[in-house]
């Protein structure tokens, strides 16, 4: 299948802002249309290619944009993440489920050949095996965000079966990056800690020091996303729901790693409502199906990521 033009929803977010640039490097700046709710997203990525303001809750506007741009593929990244989802459950229900259906319907009706739509480790809950969580296992999340991601995985499977669509997705762990700040998740601490380490030499953490969660550095997130998107469909047994993992860390592990480069770094722990969310998620994930079906392999471990994060953020703050 030849893909030449791509539309990205939620392109101004933590992942979208970097994925859009990675896609433009492959497909050409003018062949990747970035869309998001706001002008601020426009300012970040507009210079490198086309941008349209798009609320995925407006299917007529989405149809208009898709008919004008004629994408072969959509990367559907617009979503409400876990912490904001607990504060605004109705918004999360609506955008994460009805918004996805809008995107899939418009794609189906306008000849879009492939969709990549991320899921999350948030599909797992307290009744799921917590360590080395298997690919095909109990999905009983206790957060609104997690529930919507389970539904999204199932909606994707339904559209594959009923309409013959090609929809793919991974269950990202917490993504750590240094271009765009995260948009309201539980793993956000693992990004902010690096910014505060460089800027203030200290950080107040909203999770307990021993809260182990799966994490991944953005270059691996982009690699995994693009590798699954480009994988041969014949090899794929799974589709919308691949487990994906790089390494698992606690806040204390990140502190130790930062102190290798900034020995005087200080931390205090003040857990808030996000602790309950984190406690419902796995501490490590078995991603062997991704490794077998499309050759997934991460490159970064914690110290390699820490060194790069501190370097990039430090240079930016000079
Ligand atoms: P983000 O919050 O940084 O970005 C989401 C973007 O969606 C924002 O720019 C926002 O403006 C946009 N958006 C929100 N509502 C919209 C609407 N109605 N119409 C159009 N755009 C809208 O999120 P992210 O971290 O970039 O996440 C991208 C995808 O990856 C999401 O599906 C998320 O669930 C998934 N994911 C992310 C992580 C992570 O750690 N970042 C982990 C697991 C899964
Ligand atoms: N990083 C995301 C969150 O914390 C996980 O999907 O919400």
């Amino acid at each position: 299948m030849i893909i030449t033009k791509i539309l990205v929803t939620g392109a101004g977010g933590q992942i979208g802002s970097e994925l859009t640039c990675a896609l433009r490097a492959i497909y050409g700046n003018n062949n990747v249309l970035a869309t998001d709710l706001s002008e601020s997203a426009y300012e970040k990525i507009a210079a490198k290619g086309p941008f349209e303001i798009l609320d995925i809750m407006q299917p007529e506007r989405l149809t208009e944009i898709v008919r004008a741009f004629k994408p072969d593929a959509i990367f559907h990244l617009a979503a409400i993440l876990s912490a904001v989802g607990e504060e605004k459950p109705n918004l999360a229900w609506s955008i994460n489920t009805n918004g996805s259906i809008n995107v899939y319907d418009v794609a189906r009706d306008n000849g879009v050949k492939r969709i990549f739509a991320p899921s999350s480790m948030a599909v797992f809950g307290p009744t799921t095996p917590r360590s080395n969580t298997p690919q095909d296992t109990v999905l009983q999340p206790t957060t609104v965000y997690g529930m919507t991601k389970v539904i999204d995985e199932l909606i994707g499977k339904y559209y594959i079966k009923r309409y013959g669509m090609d929809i793919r997705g991974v269950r990202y762990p917490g993504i750590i990056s240094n271009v765009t700040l995260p948009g309201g998740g539980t793993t956000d601490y693992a990004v902010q800690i690096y910014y505060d380490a460089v800027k203030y030499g200290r950080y107040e953490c909203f999770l307990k020091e021993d809260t182990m969660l799966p994490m991944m550095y953005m270059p691996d997130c982009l690699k995994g996303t693009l590798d699954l998107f480009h994988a041969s469909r014949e090899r794929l047994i799974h589709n919308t729901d691949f487990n994906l993992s790089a390494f698992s860390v606690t806040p204390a592990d990140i502190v130790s790693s930062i102190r290798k480069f900034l020995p005087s770094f200080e931390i205090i722990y003040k857990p808030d409502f996000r602790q309950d969310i984190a406690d419902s998620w796995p501490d490590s994930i078995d991603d062997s199906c991704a490794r077998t079906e499309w050759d997934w392999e991460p490159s970064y471990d914690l110290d390699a990521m820490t060194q790069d994060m501190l370097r990039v953020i430090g240079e930016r703050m000079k």
Side-chain angles (χ1 to χ4, degrees), residues 51-79:
F51 178 90
E52 293 282 352
I53 289 186
L54 170 66
D55 181 344
I56 58 164
M57 302 313 290
Q58 297 177 345
E60 299 80 15
R61 169 85 175 130
L62 178 56
T63 301
E64 189 185 303
I65 289 173
V66 165
R67 289 196 178 152
F69 187 69
K70 297 183 175 48
D72 310 297
I74 294 178
F75 282 73
H76 171 41
L77 306 179

Side-chain angles (χ1 to χ4, degrees), residues 141-250:
T142 47
T143 62
V144 169
Y145 173 67
M147 290 183 238
T148 64
K149 286 292 175 183
V150 173
I151 292 167
D152 274 346
E153 289 183 0
L154 295 174
I155 294 170
K157 288 178 188 298
Y158 181 82
Y159 276 62
I160 291 169
K161 185 162 180 267
R162 174 138 186 204
Y163 304 114
M165 294 172 74
D166 181 351
I167 305 177
R168 305 172 181 199
V170 291
R171 294 167 176 159
Y172 288 135
I175 304 301
I176 299 173
S177 66
N178 53 48
V179 172
T180 301
L181 287 172
T186 302
T187 58
D188 293 15
Y189 92 84
V191 176
Q192 196 62 45
I193 194 171
Y194 287 102
Y195 280 82
D196 285 14
V198 173
K199 199 167 179 188
Y200 308 115
R202 66 194 300 277
Y203 176 66
E204 184 176 304
C205 186
F206 58 76
L207 296 183
K208 290 186 209 157
E209 64 181 312
D210 59 353
T211 309
M212 176 81 80
L213 287 170
M215 299 281 181
M216 179 179 292
Y217 195 30
M218 183 61 88
D220 279 331
C221 169
L222 298 177
K223 177 173 172 291
T225 302
L226 293 169
D227 284 355
L228 174 58
F229 180 72
H230 292 129
S232 159
R233 197 176 180 185
E234 288 68 45
R235 279 187 68 193
L236 302 182
I237 298 164
H238 296 83
N239 38 52
T240 60
D241 54 2
F242 280 99
N243 278 6
L244 201 68
S245 184
F247 52 83
S248 290
V249 286
T250 63

